[in-house]
Amino acid sequence: MLHQSLPLLCDSKIADSILLSVSHFSNNNNNNSIGSSRVLDVGLKFSKQSSGGGSSGRGFSSKAGAKTTTTPNVYGRRAQESVLEQEEAPQKLGFKTFPGQAFPFGVSQVENGINFAIFSQHATAVTLCLSLPHRGKSERTDGGMIEVALDPKVNKTGDIWHICIEDLPRDDVLYGYRIDGPRDWRQGHRFDSSIMLIDPYAKLVESRRFFGDASRKLSKFYGTYDFDSLPFDWGDDYKPPNIPEKDLVIYEMNVRAFTVDKSSGLDPSIRGSYLGVIEKIPHLLELGVNAVELLPVFEFDEFEFQRRPNPRDHMINTWGYSTINFFAPMNRYASRGGGPRNASREFKEMVKALHGAGIEVILDVVFNHTNEADDKNPFTTSFRGIDNKVYYMVDLSNNGQLLNFSGCGNTLNCNHPVVMELILDSLRHWVIEYHVDGFRFDLASVLCRGTDGSPLDAPPIIRAIAKDSILSRCKIIAEPWDCGGLYLVGNFPNWDRWAEWNGKYRDDIRKFIKGDSGMKGSFATRVAGSADLYRANKRKPCHSVNFVIAHDGFTLRDLVSYNFKHNDANGEGGNDGCNDNFSWNCGFEGETDDHNIKALRFRQMKNFHLALMISQGTPMMLMGDEYGHTRYGNNNSYGHDTSINNFQWGLLDAEKSSHFRFFSEVIKFRQTHGVFTHDNFLSENDVTWHENNWENHESKFLAFTLHDQNGGDIYLAFNAHDYIVKVSIPPPPPKRRWLRVVDTNFESPDDFVPQGLPRIGSTYNVAPHSSILLEAKN
């Protein structure tokens, strides 16, 4: 059954009569089939529609001179709408409609036309809203929405509402839903039929086309689809890299921030885009990484902080941890403002190019919360208005309030069967359609909570992801904590598949390298693969994703330059961001011209990087650390679309022969020496610890040898004291001699000598706050 939006055209009596006139379209109620059809030909006028989030972003606005009248709508509400004083001639639109089918969710092309299906268990009324393309017009600035009311007797199977429309275009149609239902907040409901909602299964999302375009700050978001484009050509010789986890070196990066700065040298039309990443693949290869972990690339609203006056209303969300839709690539990462269809294609081009260079693509995904915020300042765009009680965790014992384990106002109800399937369908979509290689799950402990928020020993969604056949080749990485205190490092439910961001590795490495007492044993445990955390069942060292630096927190340069966070620019009075950074400023807070302090800081950065790259497990580094990027002490820079976050290619050029060279050489050394990438945890035959005083808490020196079965042993020593340590060097393997490859105390190029320097005696003076690496060679 097709029903047009009527209150904008006529009074309530006429509306009721038209509704009655089409009620006989209900047929045999065989809701699992497409069903028989009827044609409804209605003259309509387009009008402004409410989005629940501000003024129109696609330009669906009434013309000047419009007057406002109050008319009842078909649900008996009173609604304020604009009625044009100067009306254009009605447009005749004829549609053949069918009951449609319940699966698949979202929009699908079927034999009879375009099928729409959406789940809502508690809805009492669902209206499909459509905006058709205007031939010859790139922007629909004078259009509006056609509304099709779904008859629950015809267009509903179980809790799934559906309809099929035969004559819709195969692309460039914008759509959404208005959904009504119980208004009892105490029972967890948040229905509001005045708000147009995005289909959770929309594969593409349309909104403003250019990132940070303030003229379209309050743009609305619409689902859209594309059944006209030819399938993407992955190439006859295409194949994904399929790199073993133990061999990965992960580079955490932000698509926009990587190339948006003018210093990238790219054409302005592709800066900050998926295509921009392609242009900089040579840099990734020169650095030596073989996997990129992309900060969120699902559709999000960068202007979310600016919808209302608040202390953060000067900021732009550049990190993207505020998902609007779990299937659509961020359309403002398309080049030239190309929109969602081009975003989809260019994302695939990026993946194809990275794969062609031997680099895997891991997505940072946010299934712990959405953009819809809290009950105090909600921004309803989708799930909240479709079925809040299903999609979010609510506390029915506390007047139906949203539970907040994400720190962002809401918590996705991940172990509800419907939400589980949404998550799995999203992950499968990114693997099948976009060929991504894996996922890092933000605040993954949320996924380990039941529908009431209580922790689960065997969370269904975690198991389903681990066991899913389509996801079987994917890397799956948990951030094993949440904002509700569920800290699961080393204890994350895993089914021998899940890897984890090892937060204990980060903390222990930081503490030892900066010179904290009593950390030698913990440092040894971490560089050896964290067997205390991961040696269980069939887990391996590679399930520990080792990192010293990640996107949230200090950069590597700031870790050695600041004792305290400096987050005043964020507008929260310095109350945001972590206080426990385990950092050391090397003698002065912030930037300085003191040569000795600057030299110590660069030495410390090299120590951290060497420790990371010689550790058993999977190393991850942050974009920009290869040249020493600074955020000037801001350890929570999510809202700055500036040089605070953006890669500075000029600074990279300045460090190419020194800091960058060291970082690149150490990464490549790791990849060519199997002693750093053991399949299993180290045995006594794999490592010798040159230490007989583990209980000495004042000792800040550790030396050990990693043994190679072919004789290519590696000797390492880390000195976190503020004085020289004269260390005895063990004899090399037979017919070998020690060559010095690394001494972080030296400046480039002597800090890393690939072929090694000979004449290593029986002792070596390891300088304060420095580290060395010796290799046994013929």
Side-chain angles (χ1 to χ4, degrees):
M1 183 187 77
L2 181 64
H3 158 57
Q4 305 291 356
S5 177
L6 301 171
L8 311 177
L9 309 178
C10 50
D11 65 25
S12 60
K13 291 183 179 179
I14 299 175
D16 290 340
S17 68
I18 295 181
L19 283 172
L20 289 171
S21 71
V22 299
S23 64
H24 70 277
F25 284 9
S26 300
N27 50 43
N28 60 10
N29 200 27
N30 181 12
N31 293 342
N32 287 309
S33 63
I34 294 296
S36 59
S37 68
R38 295 290 189 274
V39 176
L40 177 61
D41 202 1
V42 178
L44 71 153
K45 301 177 182 67
F46 293 118
S47 61
K48 184 177 179 180
Q49 303 292 330
S50 167
S51 72
S55 61
S56 169
R58 284 283 292 166
F60 295 101
S61 59
S62 56
K63 295 183 178 180
K67 66 182 180 182
T68 300
T69 64
T70 303
T71 59
N73 72 1
V74 295
Y75 301 117
R77 292 186 293 108
R78 306 292 291 181
Q80 293 287 334
E81 299 286 2
S82 299
V83 178
L84 301 181
E85 286 184 335
Q86 297 180 348
E87 297 178 345
E88 298 179 357
Q91 299 189 42
K92 293 287 186 179
L93 296 176
F95 292 104
K96 184 180 291 185
T97 67
F98 304 85
Q101 59 192 40
F103 297 100
F105 289 163
V107 180
S108 56
Q109 185 174 232
V110 295
E111 182 178 353
N112 300 63
I114 304 297
N115 191 79
F116 298 81
I118 188 170
F119 169 91
S120 182
Q121 179 181 348
H122 297 102
T124 57
V126 174
T127 300
L128 174 64
C129 306
L130 301 168
S131 176
L132 306 185
H134 290 190
R135 294 188 180 279
K137 298 183 180 180
S138 60
E139 295 287 344
R140 279 163 259 184
T141 57
D142 58 353
M145 305 299 289
I146 304 166
E147 297 198 348
V148 185
L150 276 58
D151 185 342
K153 296 180 180 179
V154 177
N155 304 112
K156 187 180 180 188
T157 302
D159 295 325
I160 303 169
W161 301 70
H162 45 78
I163 190 170
C164 180
I165 304 177
E166 183 178 64
D167 297 325
L168 285 182
R170 289 162 46 89
D171 68 346
D172 203 26
V173 172
L174 307 185
Y175 77 101
Y177 292 92
R178 298 186 188 279
I179 298 181
D180 210 352
R183 302 300 179 94
D184 189 349
W185 277 42
R186 293 172 300 178
Q187 293 300 311
H189 301 302
R190 304 293 188 270
F191 289 104
D192 184 346
S193 59
S194 70
I195 300 173
M196 192 171 65
L197 306 167
I198 304 166
D199 177 7
Y201 276 79
K203 302 305 187 295
L204 301 172
V205 171
E206 177 68 275
S207 183
R208 75 183 75 86
R209 293 289 186 90
F210 293 93
F211 193 97
D213 181 0
S215 68
R216 305 180 72 85
K217 184 183 297 184
L218 298 179
S219 292
K220 292 185 288 188
F221 293 82
Y222 303 87
T224 187
Y225 57 82
D226 176 21
F227 297 119
D228 252 358
S229 295
L230 294 174
F232 182 77
D233 182 10
W234 290 96
D236 294 336
D237 298 328
Y238 166 82
K239 61 179 181 179
N242 288 326
I243 300 170
E245 286 184 76
K246 71 181 184 65
D247 296 328
L248 289 178
V249 178
I250 300 173
Y251 185 79
E252 190 189 26
M253 59 171 285
N254 180 303
V255 167
R256 175 171 170 81
F258 193 46
T259 65
V260 72
D261 195 83
K262 184 178 179 180
S263 64
S264 68
L266 301 183
D267 187 282
S269 64
I270 67 169
R271 291 178 196 160
S273 70
Y274 302 122
L275 296 188
V277 174
I278 296 176
E279 294 298 314
K280 294 299 184 178
I281 288 176
H283 167 70
L284 300 176
L285 293 175
E286 185 179 5
L287 179 59
V289 298
N290 56 19
V292 291
E293 183 174 302
L294 305 180
L295 266 63
V297 293
F298 296 0
E299 185 71 24
F300 66 92
D301 182 6
E302 68 272 24
F303 282 115
E304 67 172 356
F305 308 129
Q306 302 188 24
R307 291 194 290 264
R308 58 180 178 82
N310 70 90
R312 300 187 296 165
D313 60 11
H314 61 291
M315 296 205 296
I316 291 178
N317 186 345
T318 60
W319 285 1
Y321 290 88
S322 198
T323 307
I324 285 178
N325 175 278
F326 295 112
F327 293 84
M330 178 62 169
N331 94 74
R332 286 171 297 290
Y333 288 170
S335 66
R336 303 174 179 85
R341 181 160 54 180
N342 284 327
S344 175
R345 177 178 53 79
E346 292 176 7
F347 187 97
K348 294 171 185 174
E349 290 179 8
M350 177 189 70
V351 173
K352 180 180 178 181
L354 287 165
H355 282 179
I359 299 172
E360 293 199 338
V361 179
I362 299 169
L363 303 187
D364 193 336
V365 293
V366 187
F367 290 113
N368 60 82
H369 75 284
T370 75
N371 69 298
E372 295 186 299
D374 56 15
D375 281 331
K376 182 179 180 181
N377 296 292
F379 182 55
T380 303
T381 56
S382 184
F383 310 96
R384 178 181 172 94
I386 293 170
D387 206 328
N388 184 80
K389 192 174 182 178
V390 167
Y391 283 108
Y392 295 113
M393 294 182 193
V394 297
D395 186 356
L396 296 179
S397 65
N398 185 26
N399 296 315
Q401 293 298 303
L402 293 170
L403 293 171
N404 182 16
F405 298 110
S406 66
C408 297
N410 64 67
T411 308
L412 209 63
N413 197 8
C414 299
N415 283 294
H416 185 287
V418 170
V419 185
M420 272 185 58
E421 198 58 34
L422 172 77
I423 293 171
L424 289 167
D425 285 342
S426 168
L427 298 174
R428 294 167 186 147
H429 176 70
W430 287 96
V431 172
I432 295 171
E433 184 71 16
Y434 293 102
H435 293 200
V436 302
D437 303 284
F439 305 92
R440 176 265 186 188
F441 292 77
D442 183 64
L443 297 183
S445 289
V446 164
L447 281 70
C448 299
R449 294 183 182 271
T451 56
D452 62 353
S454 59
L456 302 174
D457 292 332
I461 183 59
I462 298 298
R463 183 186 188 279
I465 292 170
K467 298 293 185 180
D468 190 85
S469 60
I470 293 175
L471 305 178
S472 61
R473 75 166 183 84
C474 292
K475 282 74 177 177
I476 49 176
I477 304 168
E479 183 184 34
W481 51 81
D482 65 17
C483 293
L486 189 55
Y487 188 78
L488 296 174
V489 172
N491 292 302
F492 193 84
N494 56 80
W495 283 271
D496 298 325
R497 282 269 284 123
W498 283 83
E500 302 174 19
W501 268 25
N502 189 345
K504 291 184 179 180
Y505 178 95
R506 173 199 60 204
D507 296 346
D508 290 347
I509 298 298
R510 288 185 178 190
K511 291 176 184 178
F512 177 81
I513 295 293
K514 81 184 185 73
D516 283 2
S517 299
M519 293 305 301
K520 180 168 59 177
S522 296
F523 179 76
T525 299
R526 299 296 158 240
V527 298
S530 296
D532 61 325
L533 301 175
Y534 300 109
R535 184 156 54 189
N537 300 321
K538 296 181 181 179
R539 301 194 87 181
K540 298 180 180 296
C542 64
H543 290 126
S544 172
V545 176
N546 300 328
F547 67 104
V548 177
I549 302 296
H551 66 275
D552 49 353
F554 283 145
T555 65
L556 187 58
R557 179 165 180 167
D558 290 353
L559 185 70
V560 300
S561 303
Y562 295 89
N563 286 348
F564 308 99
K565 65 185 182 183
H566 295 264
N567 294 1
D568 291 343
N570 298 353
E572 298 187 58
N575 293 319
D576 66 310
C578 183
N579 294 317
D580 300 322
N581 297 290
F582 307 117
S583 61
W584 176 44
N585 64 19
C586 296
F588 184 85
E589 186 74 359
E591 296 297 302
T592 180
D593 293 327
D594 187 294
H595 174 75
N596 291 330
I597 292 177
K598 290 172 69 174
L600 175 57
R601 288 175 177 176
F602 275 98
R603 193 156 73 244
Q604 285 289 79
M605 285 191 280
K606 290 189 287 187
N607 293 333
F608 278 118
H609 186 62
L610 180 64
L612 176 65
M613 290 301 159
I614 61 88
S615 295
Q616 304 298 317
T618 302
M620 182 188 76
M621 64 171 291
L622 177 66
M623 174 188 90
D625 282 346
E626 66 266 39
Y627 66 81
H629 184 85
T630 180
R631 296 174 183 158
Y632 303 100
N634 192 324
N635 73 350
N636 195 28
S637 64
Y638 61 92
H640 298 283
D641 190 32
T642 66
S643 60
I644 288 179
N645 282 316
N646 297 338
F647 196 101
Q648 301 298 295
W649 293 90
L651 295 181
L652 171 68
D653 290 340
E655 295 292 340
K656 264 297 180 70
S657 63
S658 53
H659 185 82
F660 174 83
R661 175 185 174 275
F662 181 87
F663 270 54
S664 174
E665 292 286 4
V666 170
I667 291 171
K668 293 170 183 175
F669 191 84
R670 172 188 175 85
Q671 293 176 330
T672 55
H673 292 76
V675 294
F676 306 125
T677 57
H678 279 266
D679 281 318
N680 299 303
F681 291 96
L682 299 181
S683 69
E684 60 182 15
N685 295 322
D686 298 318
V687 60
T688 297
W689 303 100
H690 305 298
E691 178 62 54
N692 56 13
N693 195 9
W694 290 102
E695 302 305 318
N696 182 358
H697 281 214
E698 297 307 312
S699 174
K700 303 173 185 178
F701 180 90
L702 181 69
F704 56 98
T705 298
L706 295 172
H707 300 295
D708 177 72
Q709 61 181 359
N710 296 316
D713 288 6
I714 301 292
Y715 173 88
L716 290 140
F718 291 85
N719 181 18
H721 287 291
D722 58 3
Y723 53 81
I724 292 174
V725 173
K726 185 176 182 179
V727 61
S728 296
I729 304 298
K735 300 182 180 180
R736 302 270 177 159
R737 58 176 179 162
W738 291 117
L739 302 181
R740 192 197 79 215
V741 177
V742 174
D743 188 333
T744 62
N745 184 53
F746 293 115
E747 294 184 357
S748 183
D750 296 325
D751 54 358
F752 189 101
V753 181
Q755 70 275 16
L757 290 177
R759 295 187 294 277
I760 300 299
S762 60
T763 61
Y764 194 100
N765 290 332
V766 184
H769 299 293
S770 67
S771 48
I772 66 170
L773 183 153
L774 311 179
E775 183 177 9
K777 287 188 173 183
N778 292 323

